[in-house]
Structures are given as C-alpha cells and as structure tokens.
C-alpha cells in the first residue's frame, strides 16, 4: 500500500506525461497560411478558429485528403492537438506529417484517433524541426468524409530547417514527390507523350540540372504539340481533378532560364478536362513580366492581369496559385492579385493543376523555353 507521499508523486508523474511543458506555446496560424487538398462548404480555416462546433470537411472517396499549416518560419514542433468531428463515435484513419520546405515530408504518426472523444487530443512530434505540418486522412469507419474540428500546433521555440539539398545525380521523380502528376513531354518525333508513373523517368526535355539538382523542363520552339494547341510543352499535369467551389493550392519555386523568340512561357495553369476555352488560369512569364490570364466565363477570351514586372532570366520566382470557392489569388514574390469567376459557368468543368514549360512559340527558329523548379508543393 503506497504512502500518501508516494501517491502524490505517482499522480504528479502521470500529470507530467499528459500535460505539455509550460515552456511550450501554441502558434497563432494566419488563415492565409492554411491550405487543403479540397473541402465542401466547411472550409479549411474552420479548423483554426478555436471552436469545436465548426469543422473542415472533404470527401476522400477518390483519395486521401489533407489539411496543411504553414507555420511561417521554422519551429521545433512539440505536438499537434487534433479534435475530430463526432470523434467520440468515429475512428478516422490519419497520418501526421512534418516538412522543413513543403516538398519533402516525414510521417510522425500513422493510425486512428481514439474514437472515444471529440475533444482536443495531443499527438507528439518530439521537437521535430518543421515549417509545415499537415494531417492526411481517407475518412472514418463510418464513411469517406474527413471532418476535423480543430488543429493546433504547439512548439518548443525556433527550429533549424536547413532545406534538404537536391541531388544532381537523381531523376526529378527521385528528388520530388511526383506521384500526384503525370508528365507531358516530347518524344523523339517531337510529338507529345504521357509518362505515368514518372518515377525515375528522364529525357532531354525533362531532366535534373547537373549542378543544382533542379527539376528542369526544356522545349524547342516549333516542336510538336498536343491537340487544340499549336505550341510545344514539357509539363507536369495533376492527376487529381475538382470542380469550382473548393480550396486548392499550388506552390512553386522556379526560374526561367531561357526564353523562346516570342518571349512567352506559361509556367503554371489551372486547366480543365473539357476543350474549347477550359483554361481557368494561365500564369505567364512574358519578357520578365508575370501575368495571370483569366476567363470569367467558360469559353471567354483571356483577360490578362499584370502581377509583377522585371523578373529577369535566372531570377528566382516563388509563386502560389490558390483557388478558394470562385476566387483565384496568385502571389508572385510577395505580390498578390485576385480574380473572381462566374461559378455557374464553370460548375461542370473538371479542373486540375499544370506546371512546367509551355512555350508560346510555334516557329522553328532555334530558340528554347527552359525553366528550372527547385520546390513544389
């Protein structure tokens, strides 16, 4: 039979196991730093509002869904607090991941929630250095819907997130997670072919730079083209498609290394499966200017909006394309422009992301469109 003193020590030890250290602090995450693979009307920011009666929801019937926080800078992540919608009666399949750069991810937890509480529950990260944290799920033991009421990030303070070096000796698919993409590249006859899965594939139009390790896209002017286009391309095409009304984000760090004679390259897109004007957004590099090409209605002529000027060949470009509901916001090197679409006109279009080098030069004039990507999320 333990003494009173022994009982108090045992209770204190149990408390220390379950309660975070006082030095740990909860991060305040701005709503603009939150992204997700998708959602219904229960938006990603609902998981960051401090209320357990709101939630982020997404249907994982066609694949795993994720919610991601950008912590703003590198932190030693102590743990994440998660509260699940109906978590007292549902077990959600989940993974928790951390990343220093938003490209390379480490899994810190795989399993389920307890199924016995809808309250916040901590999942330890062990002080892992990270700038990005995300939770992934395929749904629960009830259905394929992922519904998270709240996500909190607690840290031990600043961390050291030295970005992992890209390996010049590896193929692009070995330096980057390209499992969610297929490659549209030129074959030997300058016609476009599809490569899926990409894995260790490489060719003279899609390769790793031998000095920097960057994923490089290169196409000669006047080469072959896909249907409904006169221009050559070497691009990644997202496998996942969605409709207007959800949240989707594409983040890329890259450089334009060579320009075609026209001076125009499309470096990112929100495209549609349908033909005849289904490009919701084209992000254009044009002689150093970055413009977003938009169409308010499906099939409209493209309207071009200048975002940033004076970005020379070889200068770094950090861009983010974010679709929230019917509004697209494009941020280039810290400058943002937004555009709102006619949702009804685009409602039946299946959309997806593209990125790479889509040259806007149909003449065989000896010039090349070439871009190098150093980060992709």
């Amino acid at each position: 039979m333990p003494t009173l003193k022994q009982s108090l020590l045992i209770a204190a030890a149990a408390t220390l196991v379950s309660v975070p250290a006082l030095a740990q602090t909860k991060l305040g995450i701005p709503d603009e730093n939150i992204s997700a693979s998708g959602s219904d009307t229960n938006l990603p920011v609902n998981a960051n509002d401090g209320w357990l009666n709101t939630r982020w929801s997404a249907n994982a019937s066609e694949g795993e869904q994720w919610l991601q926080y950008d912590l703003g800078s590198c932190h030693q992540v102590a743990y994440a607090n998660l509260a699940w919608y109906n978590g007292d009666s549902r077990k959600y399949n989940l993974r928790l991941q951390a990343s220093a750069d938003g490209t390379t991810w480490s899994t810190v937890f795989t399993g389920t929630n307890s199924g016995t509480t809808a309250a916040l529950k901590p999942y330890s990260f062990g002080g892992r250095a990270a700038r990005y944290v995300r939770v992934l799920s395929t749904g629960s033991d009830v259905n394929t819907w992922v519904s998270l009421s709240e996500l909190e990030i607690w840290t031990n303070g600043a961390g050291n997130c030295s970005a992992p070096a890209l390996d010049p000796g590896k193929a692009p698919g070995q330096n980057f997670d390209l499992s969610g993409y297929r490659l549209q590249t030129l074959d030997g006859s300058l016609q476009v072919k599809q490569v899926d899965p990409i894995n260790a594939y490489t060719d003279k139009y899609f390769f790793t730079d031998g000095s920097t390790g960057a994923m490089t896209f290169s196409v000669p002017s006047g080469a072959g083209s896909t249907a409904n286009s006169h221009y050559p391309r070497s691009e990644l095409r997202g496998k996942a498609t969605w409709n207007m009304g959800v949240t989707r984000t594409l983040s890329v760090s890259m450089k334009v290394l060579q320009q075609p004679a026209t001076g125009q390259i499309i470096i990112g897109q929100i495209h549609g499966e349908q033909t005849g004007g289904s490009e919701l957004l084209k992000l254009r590099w044009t002689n150093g200017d970055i413009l977003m090409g938009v169409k308010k209605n499906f099939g409209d002529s493209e309207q071009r909006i200048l975002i940033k000027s004076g970005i020379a060949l070889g200068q770094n470009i950090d861009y983010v394309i974010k679709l929230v509901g019917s509004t697209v916001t494009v941020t280039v090197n810290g400058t943002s422009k937004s555009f709102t679409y006619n949702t009804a006109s685009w409602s039946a279009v299946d959309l997806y992301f593209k990125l790479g080098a889509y040259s806007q030069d149909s003449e065989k004039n000896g010039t090349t469109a070439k871009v190098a990507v150093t980060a992709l999320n």
Side-chain angles (χ1 to χ4, degrees):
M1 186 77 177
T3 65
L4 177 59
K5 181 178 181 180
Q6 289 172 328
S7 298
L8 291 173
L9 288 172
I10 291 170
T15 301
L16 288 173
V17 169
S18 59
V19 176
L22 292 178
Q24 294 168 348
T25 57
K26 185 177 78 170
L27 286 178
I29 308 295
D31 285 350
E32 58 266 27
N33 285 18
I34 299 172
S35 58
S37 53
S39 72
D40 61 3
T41 56
N42 297 293
L43 301 176
V45 294
N46 291 352
N48 186 51
D49 61 7
W51 294 90
L52 295 185
N53 58 352
T54 62
R55 66 186 186 273
W56 161 67
S57 293
N59 191 346
S61 59
E62 296 184 0
E64 194 172 45
Q65 296 279 1
W66 52 261
L67 175 72
Q68 179 176 305
Y69 283 8
D70 177 354
L71 309 185
S73 59
C74 187
H75 290 267
Q76 298 178 46
V77 180
Y79 63 94
N81 263 343
L82 277 71
W84 292 92
Y85 173 70
N86 286 340
D88 52 352
S89 60
R90 299 181 184 182
K91 284 190 174 182
Y92 291 85
N93 303 307
L94 69 112
R95 293 191 295 149
L96 289 169
Q97 294 185 327
S99 174
D101 58 2
T103 300
T104 302
W105 293 89
S106 299
T107 299
V108 298
F109 177 85
T110 300
T112 68
N113 61 311
S114 67
T116 61
T117 179
L120 289 163
K121 177 185 175 182
Y123 295 79
S124 175
F125 278 59
R128 183 184 297 269
R131 173 169 173 169
Y132 302 89
V133 171
R134 68 182 178 187
V135 56
L136 309 94
S137 177
T138 55
S140 69
D141 54 0
V142 174
N143 55 40
T144 60
W145 279 92
V146 181
S147 294
L148 185 67
S149 300
E150 201 70 14
L151 171 61
E152 298 178 349
I153 307 299
W154 288 73
T155 84
N156 295 319
N160 181 14
C161 288
S162 297
L166 297 173
D167 188 342
K170 292 182 177 180
Q174 296 170 322
N175 275 327
F176 298 84
D177 180 5
L178 302 182
S179 59
Y181 298 89
R182 63 175 58 99
L183 173 68
Q184 294 180 321
T185 185
L186 299 171
D187 65 14
S189 62
L190 296 185
Q191 298 301 306
V192 171
K193 64 178 179 180
Q194 306 278 342
V195 179
D196 182 24
I198 298 171
N199 294 336
Y201 179 86
T202 186
D203 61 30
K204 62 182 179 179
Y205 309 109
F206 175 74
F207 56 91
T208 297
D209 183 272
S211 58
T212 66
M215 174 167 53
T216 306
F217 303 83
S218 179
V219 286
S221 298
S225 63
T226 49
N228 304 306
S229 173
H230 300 291
Y231 304 114
R233 71 182 78 216
S234 177
E235 287 185 300
L236 294 177
R237 180 214 189 276
K239 296 179 185 179
T241 61
W242 67 89
N243 297 112
M244 183 73 76
V246 300
T247 298
R248 288 288 189 275
T249 305
L250 175 69
S251 300
V252 179
S253 293
M254 50 87 68
K255 299 176 181 179
V256 176
L257 301 180
Q258 294 181 32
Q259 66 182 69
T262 61
Q264 298 187 49
I265 308 172
I266 294 173
I267 58 177
Q269 298 186 65
I270 300 179
H271 209 288
E273 291 279 16
Q274 294 75 6
T275 59
S278 64
E279 306 90 347
L280 186 83
L281 169 78
K282 289 181 178 178
L283 187 61
R284 297 175 176 270
W285 183 93
T286 303
N287 292 316
D289 292 339
I290 305 287
L291 305 99
M292 54 190 289
V294 295
K295 300 177 179 179
K296 188 174 183 63
N297 298 288
F298 177 83
D300 279 357
S301 297
E302 183 180 277
Q303 174 186 347
R304 297 182 185 178
I305 301 169
L306 178 66
I307 304 174
K308 197 89 171 178
S309 295
I311 301 181
L313 292 173
Q315 183 176 342
N316 197 65
I317 302 170
D318 293 319
Y319 75 74
V320 178
I321 299 173
K322 188 169 186 176
L323 170 65
V324 180
S326 61
T327 300
V328 165
T329 300
V330 180
T331 304
V332 178
N333 291 0
T335 299
S336 299
K337 292 291 178 69
S338 296
F339 186 83
T340 299
Y341 295 83
N342 183 341
T343 306
S345 179
W346 287 94
S347 61
V349 180
D350 301 312
L351 303 169
Y352 55 89
F353 282 124
K354 300 188 79 173
L355 68 134
Y358 181 21
S359 175
Q360 301 295 284
D361 193 345
S362 60
E363 301 296 325
K364 293 184 178 180
N365 49 36
T367 61
T368 296
K370 184 176 182 181
V371 305
V373 172
T374 52
L376 167 64
N377 182 29

